[in-house]
Amino acid sequence: MAFEFDWQAAIDSIPYLVEGIPYTLLISFGGLLIGFVLGIIFGLLSINKHLVFRWPATAYIEVFRGTPILVQVLFIFYGLPDLVGSPINPLVAGIAAIALNSGAYISEVVRGGVQSIDKGQTEAGLSLGLSRTQTFWSIVWPQAFRRMIPPLGNQAIVSIKDTSLFSVIGVGELVRQGQIYIANTFTAFEVYFVVAILYLMITLSLSMILRFVERRGLTSV
């Protein structure tokens, strides 16, 4: 029997699926905010000349870049309770996984951005009487951050899409809402089609905002 797309089923699913968007955004942007802080800390530590700081930072970066985020969130949600002796909220586990995973990638973005700035900039700051700390935050970091905007935007989009994996721990984000709706209506094709469109709308909106920020950043150099 020929398949016919049920537009009414797709439209009917939208209000239910939209309920998952706040969770998707909360997990992704909450995790990214923490991940950005982690990225700055570990990114700067990874280029520190002292091994006692550089090695732990490198270990963190390699571990979380080298393992799948699905494994990380399963470890946090199912594994850590055995260690701490109490269950972990699925939402907290999702935010933690995004934070730790994105933090590792952002660390590399920070490292690359800082190292891309010519050393002459530091020498110029020092020649003006600034300390190394003042030179870094006043001269090096603003230039490096502008160069980080595109890869940071890419990481934000990746993190939003990664939240779709967290349906396995019961977080009520977009995919989980779709799974629940499909279980009651048996309209998998239509529902997942709408889920894909909603993700696309979110990521495209973010891409447009990031392009605007990038253009503003470049023109302000």
Side-chain angles (χ1 to χ4, degrees):
M1 185 171 60
F3 172 79
E4 291 186 10
F5 189 91
D6 190 341
W7 287 102
Q8 190 58 51
I11 294 171
D12 290 342
S13 70
I14 293 175
Y16 190 83
L17 296 176
V18 166
E19 294 178 9
I21 292 180
Y23 289 99
T24 295
L25 297 180
L26 175 61
I27 294 171
S28 55
F29 289 109
L32 280 167
L33 181 61
I34 300 172
F36 183 65
V37 175
L38 293 175
I40 294 175
I41 294 172
F42 286 99
L44 296 179
L45 288 177
S46 69
I47 56 178
N48 192 286
K49 62 181 180 180
H50 299 293
L51 293 178
V52 68
F53 296 116
R54 191 167 70 244
W55 282 5
T58 301
Y60 160 74
I61 293 169
E62 294 303 326
V63 167
F64 283 95
R65 288 178 67 219
T67 55
I69 191 171
L70 180 58
V71 174
Q72 294 165 16
V73 75
L74 290 174
F75 178 80
I76 293 170
F77 185 69
Y78 292 111
L80 283 187
D82 292 339
L83 181 64
V84 301
S86 61
I88 296 177
N89 184 282
L91 194 61
V92 173
I95 293 174
I98 290 291
L100 292 169
N101 185 270
S102 64
Y105 285 95
I106 293 172
S107 296
E108 286 294 276
V109 173
V110 170
R111 180 190 62 79
V114 171
Q115 291 184 329
S116 71
I117 303 302
D118 190 272
K119 292 182 179 180
Q121 298 291 316
T122 300
E123 295 172 357
L126 295 175
S127 68
L128 293 173
L130 299 176
S131 67
R132 286 194 172 273
T133 300
Q134 291 173 326
T135 299
F136 178 81
W137 291 111
S138 299
I139 298 176
V140 176
W141 177 258
Q143 297 180 69
F145 183 74
R146 281 192 287 269
R147 298 184 181 186
M148 296 177 202
I149 292 175
L152 287 175
N154 290 337
Q155 182 58 46
I157 292 172
V158 168
S159 294
I160 290 173
K161 293 187 292 184
D162 281 344
T163 62
S164 63
L165 300 172
F166 299 163
S167 60
V168 298
I169 61 172
V171 177
E173 42 70 59
L174 269 172
V175 172
R176 180 62 176 171
Q177 290 294 101
Q179 291 173 338
I180 296 172
Y181 193 84
I182 290 167
N184 295 321
T185 61
F186 304 103
T187 53
F189 188 92
E190 290 83 358
V191 172
Y192 283 130
F193 175 82
V194 175
V195 168
I197 294 298
L198 291 174
Y199 269 112
L200 186 61
M201 290 173 63
I202 294 171
T203 56
L204 285 178
S205 298
L206 180 58
S207 294
M208 292 172 61
I209 294 172
L210 291 170
R211 288 194 187 100
F212 173 77
V213 172
E214 184 179 351
R215 286 196 299 270
R216 294 282 295 181
L218 291 174
T219 55
S220 64
V221 174

